[in-house]
Amino acid sequence: MRTFRNNNKNRSKRSKVFPRYMQEKLAITVLVITLALFALVMVLYNLMTKKKEDYNQIVLSQQEYDSRVIPFKRGDVLDRNGTYLATSEKVYNLILDPRQIMTDPDSYLEPTVNALTECFGYDRTEIMNLIQEKKDKQYVRYAKQLTYDDKDKYEKYKTEKAEELKKAQKAIKGIWFEDEYKRVYPYNSLASKVVGFANGDGMAGTGGIEQYYNTTLMGVNGREYGYLNDDSNLERVIKPASNGNTVVSTVDVNVQKIVEKYIAEWEQQTGSKRVGVVVMDPNNGEVLAMSDDKSFDLNKPRDLRPEFTADVLRQLGVKEAMDDYKRKNKDAQPLTPETVSQHYSDEEIVSLGTQVAWNQTWRNFCISDGYEPGSTEKIFTVSAALEEGAITGKETYECNKFLEVGGHKINCVSRYGHGLITVEEGLMKSCNVVMMRIAQQMGKEKFYKYQQIFGFGSKTGIDLPGEADNKSVMYTADTAGPTDLATNSFGQNFNCTMIQMAAAYCSVINGGSYYEPHVVKQILNEQGSVMKKVDPVLVRETVSESTTKFINEALFKTVNAEGGTGGAARIAGYKVAGKTGTAEKIPRDKTNYVVSFCGYAPSDNPQVLVYVVVDEPHVEDQPHSTYASQIFQKIMTEILPYLNIFPDTQEGGTLTSEDAATLPQQEGITNETQASSESGETEAEPTSGQPSKEVPTMENGETVPEEYLNPDEEYVNRESGGDTDLPAALPGGAADTSADTQEGQDTQPSE
């Protein structure tokens, strides 16, 4: 009885294991799980019915089986007339599938190897070993960038051998071709700095338009892939590639050829450290041509120029290794040429030197390198003074060889002085004293305000990579002293780039409109329709029409009148105008100079501007502007007829009788009395204390020879060993300057 009662108790306890509240929770849990499963079924059903195609595409696009990339074609680069400067040609990569070949070596291996050796001349043993070593691989790229003729030869061979191999129960297997595009530059080195080049895969450009407009030129790869359908048949899906857009440049191939021809001629006959030429349309900022002396083959951009010998590469590598070590170990003791080998191997040193050589070759001198411009700056000093009313243009000044400013005896270009001289003659004869006097009258606030207006010290915004701004080597009203103002007035003691100078010149001679210089005028799509037209960008107004007229007349006389320094630039039949430039380089040892000429035509309606800069001509006596003027003259003589700029049949490149009457009658010296400026200031007496005189005399009292008073070129006739007449450093503490940054001589690196 006791046992029975105990069993009932146990049974009663077991029946209470799941009380009611737990049963309710369990029911709720089951319900939630059921609803979740139902929701999941609905989601899967929705994916299968409505999203099936989308997810199929995603899955299939990730399949590697029987799939390939369809490469895009990089956009072309054209000149302004539609001539191809850069294009992409289809080539083929030879792909081997060793796994397929080795599925039946007796049937496939021998015929396949025979096809490769007979069609392409490949080494039989090498191919045989490669296939056997990589027998598990399905994709082996054996050769790149084969031509269509190579591919066609193989296809014909395979067709001819098909019947014969079929009878022997053999076949050619595991060979196929992958499409690719090869960048081609039809003119090789022409306009190499403007065009730039694309890397092998066409995904990135280096330098020029190829780099600046890389995203425009690039397209999007397509894809072809295969999959098995419900019937186990292979289906193919093709997503076509989107090709890049075409860039139409402002460059004219024929103008560019003319420029490069005469640069090459100069280098062969005389040569210099650097030489650059920019050709622009002054009425819209379009660059028609741009080149320097270090052109390179765009189809072989990494082939070094002859001057980069093994010794030169090692020297460049040692210097770069020292700089590299300093950048990476700022607190460590700097390396010396003797200790470089302790931290860098010979291979690393040569590699660093090669990279420096490439950068020097690819660097665009016309936009990336700064130099002291010299007397080409003088038109901006006069223009600013005219705009501000500091002068009227009718003033006369006394030039007695030099002017003492801030403790410096600053010479004129003529060591004998010009005597009494007008503002116009100051430009014609390139008189430093006149410019210093005008700058003093204007004051540094107004002078440096116009330096900014003309764009010096800031980027022009040209659509090319690597433009320097030279801001660190420019004075401002806050930092300039009397000597700085004086030297800056005639183009010394500050840096600019060629494109800055050319753009500023265009604004002064075209009526005052400063246009942003540019090298691209249109963007076309794959079908040739215009997607974007690059209209001229008017940045600001710089001078008035009256100032433009004064400058154009003065620069016309600079070239065509007796006593003008630009006589070497004269072209018969054309109204050519321009200004010479001669700048003494740092260190101021009177041995190294930059000479230049910036000219245009016609003088009364400028249609084309050519700016030539020659850095350190390879001659004993460098400071002759004629070197640059003659290059200008040869280029312009061919450019003008090509551009349909016709000669002035009435004038033939000489002065009218009216213009001639306004010129000085005796040795370039005027007898006009000195006029007061609109500001009411009068000219101070020369610091030398010498009285004014009609005809300058030399130290021995004799009259200055005619060739010194009325030169046909700008020649800085200084005596070596004389007193220093220019500051020995640029702003910012730069004690050395040159037009070649790569050799460590310039203060403005490329960006």
Side-chain angles (χ1 to χ4, degrees), residues 560-699:
N560 296 280
E562 181 183 4
T565 59
R570 189 178 301 127
I571 301 174
Y574 286 96
K575 291 183 176 180
V576 175
K579 183 72 190 75
T580 53
T582 309
E584 184 181 355
K585 295 179 65 174
I586 295 174
R588 313 291 192 193
D589 55 5
K590 303 175 179 62
T591 56
N592 291 323
Y593 294 83
V594 176
V595 296
S596 58
F597 186 85
C598 191
Y600 52 95
S603 60
D604 52 359
N605 181 26
Q607 298 298 307
V608 60
L609 174 139
V610 177
Y611 183 34
V612 180
V613 172
V614 179
D615 180 24
E616 294 187 27
H618 291 164
V619 294
E620 185 175 349
D621 193 19
Q622 292 183 10
H624 291 268
S625 64
T626 301
Y627 298 126
S629 301
Q630 288 176 341
I631 297 174
F632 165 89
Q633 193 268 350
K634 292 176 180 178
I635 291 173
M636 192 67 103
T637 298
E638 291 195 31
I639 284 179
L640 291 172
Y642 169 74
L643 295 177
N644 292 324
I645 301 173
F646 301 105
D648 187 284
T649 55
Q650 295 180 349
E651 308 304 336
T654 59
L655 293 173
T656 64
S657 57
E658 181 180 351
D659 288 334
T662 65
L663 292 179
Q665 299 299 312
Q666 180 182 357
E667 299 182 326
I669 306 302
T670 181
N671 57 7
E672 294 180 22
T673 57
Q674 182 176 343
S676 301
S677 68
E678 290 184 8
S679 62
E681 297 182 15
T682 59
E683 285 296 309
E685 290 295 320
T687 57
S688 64
Q690 297 179 4
S692 299
K693 49 191 177 299
E694 287 191 355
V695 181
T697 58
M698 297 187 292
E699 288 83 351

Side-chain angles (χ1 to χ4, degrees), residues 55-105:
Y55 280 90
N56 279 346
Q57 294 291 331
I58 293 174
V59 173
L60 290 173
S61 67
Q62 297 172 348
Q63 298 296 321
E64 295 184 0
Y65 175 75
D66 196 31
S67 66
R68 69 182 182 92
V69 172
I70 302 175
F72 67 83
K73 180 183 178 184
R74 188 174 177 87
D76 300 323
V77 179
L78 311 179
D79 90 327
R80 64 189 302 113
N81 301 313
T83 303
Y84 284 87
L85 296 173
T87 188
S88 295
E89 294 181 353
K90 182 175 282 190
V91 292
Y92 305 90
N93 297 330
L94 176 61
I95 310 299
L96 300 180
D97 185 347
R99 179 188 290 183
Q100 184 182 29
I101 297 171
M102 296 305 289
T103 56
D104 188 353

